[in-house]
Amino acid sequence: MRILVADDHALIRIGLIDALGQLCDLQLEFIEAEDADQVAGVLSSGIHLDLILLDLFMPGAEGFELLSDLCARLDGVPVVILSASESEADIRKAIDCGASGYVPKSTPASLMLQALRLILAGGVYFPAELIRHPQDSAGLPQPLPRTLPESVATTRDSAAAVANDELIDTEQRAADITLTARQLEVLALVAKGRSNKKIARELGLSEFTVKAHLAAILRALGVSNRIEASVVARSRGLVP
């Protein structure tokens, strides 16, 4: 597994690499970058990456442009923000840009590893206590708590869907189902037989975001796979 660790502080990179040695049983290869130019150099090299850990504000990058660029160019590769900022606005903006997770640097190493395992398994992670009103404006979904379950084997069930949507109450169509506008769009394409990659392309999302939406959809419908989801969605009038 090849991991890009991008942070302008060498001590932080060293500490992260040391902690990440416990991430999994695979052989890990780390690539370091201390500014936006070095990150761009790694991308230009064409080297395959499995995970990117990115400081939110890197030297040479303006605002969230580096994060947005990474998420757009490396579709399917999880980009995780590791930042000293615990601002709700920064977390929401990172989600909008396509980040698969946001881990404050104050997070204990053990929890960070659990969060990264969750993300690598197709889930997403955002600190619950830093998002004060997860169902209010901006449509941010229920994030995972700082204390993760003992096992992350059911990561797809616990993944939170991430999109800047307003909740749509589908009570008139199915009294026990509440999906976001984006989840309904994903569900409609699932019912048409689209793959995650094609759904991501059509909706302008990352594959990890689509997976997260799909996990939330399966949970809401009470089914375990895409075929069952399509059948239930049609029978309840959620899709044509």
Side-chain angles (χ1 to χ4, degrees):
M1 180 181 294
R2 188 175 289 119
I3 301 174
L4 172 61
V5 180
D7 194 289
D8 58 328
H9 292 93
L11 287 177
I12 291 179
R13 296 197 304 272
I14 293 171
L16 283 173
I17 290 172
D18 183 60
L20 291 170
Q22 308 172 52
L23 182 61
C24 63
D25 294 332
L26 298 176
Q27 181 178 353
L28 302 179
E29 178 183 343
F30 297 100
I31 301 173
E32 298 182 53
E34 63 180 17
D35 56 35
D37 287 341
Q38 290 188 5
V39 173
V42 174
L43 296 186
S44 299
S45 72
I47 192 169
H48 172 75
L49 297 171
D50 298 290
L51 176 66
I52 298 174
L53 304 182
L54 179 70
D55 188 17
L56 188 56
F57 301 112
M58 292 283 287
E62 183 176 345
F64 288 77
E65 64 177 11
L66 181 58
L67 172 61
S68 296
D69 183 53
L70 286 173
C71 293
R73 294 177 61 180
L74 297 175
D75 190 23
V77 178
V79 181
V80 181
I81 292 297
L82 290 173
S83 176
S85 171
E86 298 190 1
S87 162
E88 180 180 359
D90 286 343
I91 297 174
R92 290 178 181 273
K93 181 64 174 177
I95 292 171
D96 291 341
C97 291
S100 296
Y102 193 107
V103 182
K105 289 181 178 178
S106 61
T107 303
S110 60
L111 178 55
M112 179 191 70
L113 291 174
Q114 290 186 68
L116 293 178
R117 291 186 187 110
L118 176 70
I119 291 165
L120 288 170
V124 294
Y125 174 80
F126 300 97
E129 75 276 16
L130 298 184
I131 302 174
R132 293 182 291 275
H133 306 292
Q135 293 181 341
D136 287 349
S137 61
L140 192 68
Q142 291 282 357
L144 294 176
R146 276 291 189 90
T147 304
L148 292 177
E150 291 183 3
S151 170
V152 295
T154 58
T155 52
R156 299 191 188 279
D157 293 331
S158 60
V162 287
N164 186 23
D165 308 316
E166 293 182 356
L167 282 176
I168 290 182
D169 185 3
T170 59
E171 182 175 358
Q172 293 180 346
R173 289 171 291 180
D176 58 340
I177 297 175
T178 300
L179 299 176
T180 69
R182 182 66 82 189
Q183 288 166 1
L184 288 173
E185 290 178 332
V186 171
L187 180 57
L189 293 175
V190 167
K192 291 181 180 180
R194 302 285 201 279
S195 67
N196 287 350
K197 180 174 292 187
K198 289 184 178 180
I199 293 173
R201 187 178 301 119
E202 289 191 36
L203 298 182
L205 305 172
S206 71
E207 282 193 64
F208 274 82
T209 300
V210 172
K211 290 178 182 179
H213 280 308
L214 183 57
I217 290 167
L218 297 181
R219 185 174 63 248
L221 297 180
V223 297
S224 59
N225 58 58
R226 303 164 75 97
I227 295 176
E228 292 177 356
S230 300
V231 172
V232 171
R234 289 196 176 96
S235 68
R236 299 190 180 187
L238 295 171
V239 298

